[in-house]
Amino acid sequence: MHRLRNYILCVVVTILLFFTVTAVQGSLFAKYYVLNTDTYVDVIEEKDIGTKVYEVIEERYETEVNSTGIPSEVYMEVVNNPAVKEMVTGCVEDAFKYIKGKAKKLDYETCREKLVPLKKSIDTFFEEYANSINYEKDDAFYEKTSDVYETADKFITETADVYQFITIDAAGYLRYAKKVYDYIDIMMIVSIIASFVLIIIIIIANNKNLFNSLYWISISAGTSAVIFLAVCIYLKVTDYFDRFAIKAKHVFAAMTGLFNELTDKLITINLIIISISFVLMILYIVLGKEKNVTDSQNKEVLQEA
């Protein structure tokens, strides 16, 4: 009867441990990968997203020359490739300043700082053009130059925002990421403590043969890892992220690159967990069962005596 009670207790605790281990992995992954600026910046560098953004901006202003009369050089001499790369990275850094509570609102200050020289470039062009045709600079003139700059500022900033933080924030979803970040440490600590408590309960329940604890711990951790791994493998095998209906090539490259990167990290993490679970199971089989057999033999000897 005592062994049956212990067995039922171990089953229940193992199920609970499965959920807490899953929570530990989820909270750690969210904090150190999903909500980590470096993850996004690494994808930008690996996929050369900055160059793709530069090409989109360059194409826009080369196409608009005939309709606006403004040479593309007015924009592109300032918004060059290195500057664009810094703006793309700056957009990510500014977004995470907001998510982490270091900024009160999503304001791409880093990106817009790079566009300050653009205002001078646009003003210089219009002033030289006005002087060449003897045009008197009135309020309409200055309003026009201001409108051109504001339009350029908006377009370039939104184009540099390859992860679409502006759109996500406008839809009201970015505040949820902010809330998750605010409570992620608490979630992580609570789930880790709960996991340790459950492991201790399993050890106490198997105090006559501590190696049996390895079996239950292996089952809970291994099951959680296998589920995560199965989902990740499905996403990779089916090229799920490549189905995203994103027309902008720079946004598509950034988004698919990000999700594939996160999936690859999850696969690596869960392969490690499965390997550890496998080692624990081997230890249980080799040491735990051997001790169970020895205990049974000793019990038989005592009964015969």
Side-chain angles (χ1 to χ4, degrees):
M1 188 68 179
H2 175 72
R3 292 182 64 184
L4 178 61
R5 266 201 319 268
N6 265 18
Y7 181 81
I8 294 173
L9 175 63
C10 287
V11 170
V12 173
V13 173
T14 299
I15 293 172
L16 294 175
L17 185 59
F18 161 79
F19 289 109
T20 59
V21 168
T22 302
V24 169
Q25 183 180 173
S27 57
L28 287 171
F29 186 74
K31 180 176 176 63
Y32 294 107
Y33 291 105
V34 179
L35 297 175
N36 190 331
T37 310
D38 292 340
T39 303
Y40 297 76
V41 173
D42 288 346
V43 173
I44 288 170
E45 293 175 354
E46 180 185 343
K47 301 296 181 181
D48 198 16
I49 303 299
T51 298
K52 291 180 173 64
V53 172
Y54 174 81
E55 289 171 354
V56 171
I57 296 171
E58 184 180 43
E59 182 181 359
R60 160 79 175 257
Y61 290 118
E62 285 181 350
T63 304
E64 285 189 348
V65 171
N66 293 330
S67 59
T68 64
I70 304 174
S72 61
E73 292 78 9
V74 172
Y75 301 96
M76 303 316 298
E77 285 182 359
V78 175
V79 189
N80 51 45
N81 204 336
V84 169
K85 289 182 178 180
E86 290 181 18
M87 281 189 278
V88 172
T89 303
C91 285
V92 174
E93 293 171 349
D94 288 343
F96 275 95
K97 283 180 184 177
Y98 170 70
I99 291 172
K100 295 179 180 181
K102 296 178 181 178
K104 293 182 179 179
K105 62 178 181 177
L106 182 61
D107 184 6
Y108 286 150
E109 182 180 352
T110 304
C111 181
R112 292 198 160 96
E113 282 179 358
K114 295 292 179 183
L115 292 175
V116 171
L118 180 60
K119 179 72 167 65
K120 183 178 180 181
S121 179
I122 292 172
D123 288 345
T124 300
F125 167 75
F126 275 101
E127 286 178 5
E128 289 178 353
Y129 179 74
N131 291 335
S132 68
I133 61 173
N134 295 320
Y135 181 85
E136 184 179 351
K137 303 180 188 68
D138 52 11
D139 291 341
F141 170 83
Y142 291 110
E143 185 178 344
K144 174 64 176 177
T145 58
S146 179
D147 288 344
V148 170
Y149 171 72
E150 288 175 5
T151 301
D153 176 270
K154 184 175 184 295
F155 167 70
I156 295 170
T157 301
E158 289 179 352
T159 305
D161 180 29
V162 293
Y163 294 115
Q164 301 294 281
F165 288 116
I166 294 174
T167 304
I168 295 170
D169 184 50
Y173 295 120
L174 204 58
R175 68 173 182 268
Y176 294 118
K178 194 175 186 301
K179 288 180 179 179
V180 169
Y181 186 83
D182 290 340
Y183 293 101
I184 195 69
D185 287 334
I186 296 174
M187 293 166 57
M188 185 170 56
I189 292 169
V190 169
S191 57
I192 289 173
I193 291 173
S195 296
F196 274 116
V197 170
L198 292 172
I199 290 171
I200 291 171
I201 293 173
I202 290 175
I203 292 173
I204 293 172
N206 293 274
N207 63 329
K208 291 185 178 180
N209 185 355
L210 295 179
F211 292 112
N212 287 343
S213 303
L214 301 178
Y215 169 80
W216 298 107
I217 296 170
S218 172
I219 288 295
S220 58
T223 303
S224 174
V226 166
I227 292 173
F228 272 112
L229 186 62
V231 174
C232 291
I233 290 175
Y234 169 79
L235 295 174
K236 296 293 286 187
V237 170
T238 59
D239 292 325
Y240 182 81
F241 301 122
D242 290 340
R243 303 176 193 172
F244 285 179
I246 302 174
K247 294 181 179 179
K249 62 181 181 180
H250 60 293
V251 176
F252 179 84
M255 287 296 192
T256 56
L258 173 64
F259 286 116
N260 278 312
E261 177 72 11
L262 292 174
T263 303
D264 290 340
K265 290 185 184 300
L266 263 179
I267 289 174
T268 302
I269 291 168
N270 284 285
L271 283 174
I272 293 172
I273 295 174
I274 289 173
S275 299
I276 294 172
S277 298
F278 182 75
V279 171
L280 293 178
M281 186 61 74
I282 294 297
L283 289 174
Y284 160 72
I285 293 171
V286 174
L287 302 176
K289 286 192 173 182
E290 182 180 331
K291 189 175 189 309
N292 288 335
V293 170
T294 304
D295 290 345
S296 297
Q297 290 174 346
N298 292 337
K299 188 175 181 180
E300 288 176 4
V301 171
L302 290 172
Q303 286 176 347
E304 289 175 0

